[in-house]
Amino acid sequence: MTSKKVFICADHGLAAFYFLQSDIVDELLGAGVAVVLLTEDHTVDLIRRRYGRPGLSVEGLRLDRLENYQKTTSPLLQWWLNFLRRAGAAGGTNLAVVDSYIRQVKSEAHARSKQLFPLMETVARFMRHSHAARRLLVGYQSRFNPGVYADLFEKYRPDLVIASSPGFRMDRFLLREAASRGVPSAAAIISWDSSSSYGLPGAKVDWITCWSEIQKQELIGGADWLAERVNVSGMPPYDGYVRKTWLLPRQEYFRLHGLDPQRKLLAYASSFVSWSPNIQNVEALADLVIDERLSQPAQLLVRLHPIHMSGHYVEEADRIRTLARQHAHIRVVEPVPLGELGHYSGEDMAEKTSMMAHADVFLTVYSTMCVEASFQERPIVSVCIDSKTGYPEKFWLPMSQIGVWPTHSRFRTSGAGRVALNEEDLCQAINAYFADPAADLPAQRAFLQRECTYVDGSAGKRTAQFFLSLLEDGHARQA
């Protein structure tokens, strides 16, 4: 292979984690490919210091210019196009998340948007049954291209552009620039639910890689991807779980949080926070611990969600912190940021891995950490107690209604863990796992294999080899 260059778009923390804390970038560099990583502007220097090496350049994504473009160039039209892109997904897959998104938009829309909403919802419903309409929308979006990356394409002349989504985020503008110049592009599905939740591509994208055959079928059925354009190579950063890259010794981890080694550890990871409060789950767990109602003495460690750091979610985080201050056997894990890329950006993998690995029972809602905890082979309980109040004057969903979402449904029917809809169920599930921690281990291993495909530490190399194959002379250009 002659010398090649690739652009990689890492526009948020999970994307940086996906590319930089896996084998992908190292494999590309090792093959003689020059990598230009585009990331959040204020985090460029931090990324250079943290991950800099020969062959890797780092540039800013100029997000302020993109935001200004969205506000000043047909802003309403761009907003509705993005709505239709997501709401108008093809009907060949489970669209329960998309339906919830439509309900949310309808609830939160401003007055002018509410007037147009019935029409736009009708269009979106029509698009689900019309391949031609979906194709038209994907093509029409391309006219909104501010050209802010023109100089970078001229400077580096990339042979391939790789994004962390097929244009679900601001990466759509980079992908549109690539398409306008005839530069081949590839996207990666980096979140467990992305293939079922975010609809059609936000730009013309030539190739995509995902975790599993399940995600591949979601991309085909929900976003019109051709089967031959979809690669399955697992989830690259999870190779670190297989290799035990980040795992702290149990004694060290317990000392870090002031935990009692004589008590069972219940580890709860907040999730689904933007859709529903978690405080009722946390309080139910706290009650079981404080009142010593479980079969064995226990303690609770609560991991806050990044969303807890802003908006009306801060109040819930403060209530959880108050619980921890008032009770000796409750502790809190605070988010760790990576510059402006957001919290939990791969900066606390030792914390996260050790929390899951050393928990006697790991609890969450239906988050991706159900998959991650399966690598640790720990008992898992999805806690879905309905809030009595929700978010006053804000859109929210009762947790009892979300079991039909694609990833949630797969966990629920897999037998890889238990689901608790009330405090009594929760107590029973925890006690059952205290008595037999390996009760659901065979089902959990099967679940992990289905969701991640490659669980032998090879996902990063496989994904890099896919990208390298696209750089072979003539291959990517055939797109």
Side-chain angles (χ1 to χ4, degrees):
M1 182 188 298
T2 57
S3 179
K4 301 285 187 177
K5 294 187 181 70
V6 300
F7 279 0
I8 291 180
C9 180
D11 60 337
H12 60 298
L14 183 56
F17 173 59
Y18 182 93
F19 291 110
L20 293 171
Q21 294 204 42
S22 71
D23 292 329
I24 294 175
V25 169
D26 282 342
E27 289 289 309
L28 293 175
L29 294 174
V33 176
V35 175
V36 181
L37 186 87
L38 291 92
T39 190
E40 197 280 331
D41 304 84
H42 296 99
T43 313
V44 168
D45 289 340
L46 176 60
I47 293 290
R48 285 174 180 158
R49 291 194 303 271
R50 188 74 53 85
Y51 299 103
R53 67 202 83 169
L56 175 64
S57 303
V58 185
E59 297 279 358
L61 278 165
R62 305 164 183 186
L63 297 178
D64 56 342
R65 292 170 62 180
L66 297 180
E67 290 168 359
N68 182 65
Y69 176 77
Q70 290 187 119
K71 292 176 181 177
T72 58
T73 303
S74 303
L76 192 60
L77 178 55
Q78 287 199 66
W79 191 90
W80 280 115
L81 285 173
N82 199 49
F83 168 78
L84 291 174
R85 177 196 62 72
R86 186 168 177 185
T93 191
N94 182 339
L95 297 179
V97 182
V98 178
D99 287 335
S100 294
Y101 164 74
I102 293 173
R103 289 173 56 194
Q104 180 184 26
V105 172
K106 184 176 183 179
S107 172
E108 296 178 347
H110 297 299
R112 187 178 179 186
S113 296
K114 282 186 182 294
Q115 292 177 350
L116 285 172
F117 192 86
L119 171 63
M120 291 303 181
E121 184 177 13
T122 299
V123 172
R125 300 290 182 186
F126 169 75
M127 286 175 59
R128 293 191 179 185
H129 307 286
S130 172
H131 182 271
R134 296 191 300 272
R135 187 179 180 89
L136 180 65
L137 178 84
V138 172
Y140 186 81
Q141 295 173 115
S142 64
R143 67 178 56 199
F144 291 100
N145 177 18
V148 301
Y149 302 116
D151 61 316
L152 293 181
F153 276 83
E154 292 296 329
K155 177 181 178 181
Y156 292 105
R157 299 192 178 278
D159 298 282
L160 178 68
V161 173
I162 303 169
S164 58
S165 83
F168 296 157
R169 297 168 58 90
M170 290 292 206
D171 55 0
R172 59 184 175 269
F173 295 110
L174 180 68
L175 291 166
R176 289 173 192 174
E177 184 69 30
S180 73
R181 293 170 174 269
V183 178
S185 60
I189 293 296
I190 68 173
S191 298
W192 188 29
D193 65 344
S194 287
S195 53
S196 62
S197 303
Y198 292 97
L200 306 171
K204 179 182 179 294
V205 185
D206 300 306
W207 307 87
I208 194 164
T209 187
C210 62
W211 302 17
S212 65
E213 185 64 29
I214 295 171
Q215 289 189 341
K216 179 176 180 177
Q217 294 307 314
E218 288 176 333
L219 291 167
I220 294 169
D224 301 321
W225 279 91
L226 298 176
E228 61 269 24
R229 295 282 171 171
V230 184
N231 174 67
V232 175
S233 55
M235 176 53 169
Y238 292 175
D239 292 343
Y241 292 138
V242 179
R243 300 167 187 166
K244 300 190 183 302
T245 302
W246 305 295
L247 183 60
L248 299 175
R250 184 176 187 272
Q251 184 177 6
E252 180 180 342
Y253 186 70
F254 271 52
R255 186 169 57 248
L256 178 67
H257 290 292
L259 298 170
D260 184 346
Q262 304 304 314
R263 284 181 169 261
K264 296 289 188 180
L265 176 59
L266 305 179
Y268 178 84
S270 302
S271 180
F272 201 69
V273 180
S274 62
W275 294 88
S276 172
N278 274 217
I279 188 65
Q280 70 279 1
N281 290 345
V282 175
E283 289 177 339
L285 286 164
D287 286 346
L288 295 177
V289 168
I290 295 165
D291 296 340
E292 303 283 5
R293 289 163 52 198
L294 297 168
S295 61
Q296 298 188 52
Q299 58 199 323
L300 174 62
L301 183 62
V302 181
R303 179 180 172 91
L304 297 179
H305 193 277
I307 291 176
H308 275 134
M309 300 300 105
S310 62
H312 60 279
Y313 311 106
V314 171
E315 180 183 354
E316 176 171 283
D318 287 340
R319 289 175 64 183
I320 295 171
R321 293 185 185 105
T322 298
L323 272 174
R325 286 193 298 269
Q326 293 175 343
H327 301 286
H329 298 303
I330 300 176
R331 297 284 188 271
V332 174
V333 178
E334 296 283 349
V336 176
L338 174 60
E340 299 295 324
L341 284 174
H343 295 82
Y344 295 144
S345 309
E347 292 300 279
D348 72 334
M349 287 309 297
E351 164 62 50
K352 180 180 180 182
T353 306
S354 303
M355 179 185 190
M356 293 184 291
H358 298 312
D360 291 284
V361 180
F362 178 77
L363 309 103
T364 182
V365 180
Y366 287 113
S367 81
T368 309
M369 291 181 75
C370 290
V371 178
E372 296 175 74
S374 296
F375 277 97
Q376 318 302 327
E377 299 195 336
R378 305 313 301 152
I380 302 169
V381 178
S382 184
V383 190
C384 299
I385 300 173
D386 285 344
S387 169
K388 295 181 179 179
T389 60
Y391 293 126
E393 301 182 2
K394 302 285 185 180
F395 180 82
W396 68 286
L397 288 175
M399 288 188 179
S400 60
Q401 297 181 12
I402 64 173
V404 295
W405 287 21
T407 52
H408 304 183
S409 177
R410 297 204 298 271
F411 174 79
R412 187 169 46 82
T413 59
S414 70
R418 311 290 170 92
V419 176
L421 298 178
N422 54 58
E423 195 167 310
E424 181 180 352
D425 289 347
L426 183 58
C427 184
Q428 291 177 357
I430 293 170
N431 284 337
Y433 279 137
F434 281 174
D436 186 3
D440 297 321
L441 188 54
Q444 188 181 83
R445 289 172 175 168
F447 166 72
L448 185 62
Q449 185 76 55
R450 289 193 299 272
E451 296 297 337
C452 292
T453 311
Y454 299 105
V455 293
D456 58 355
S458 68
K461 287 182 169 60
R462 290 176 183 274
T463 303
Q465 287 301 315
F466 169 67
F467 293 142
L468 289 170
S469 75
L470 300 182
L471 290 167
E472 293 176 0
D473 289 341
H475 190 166
R477 295 294 170 183
Q478 293 174 7

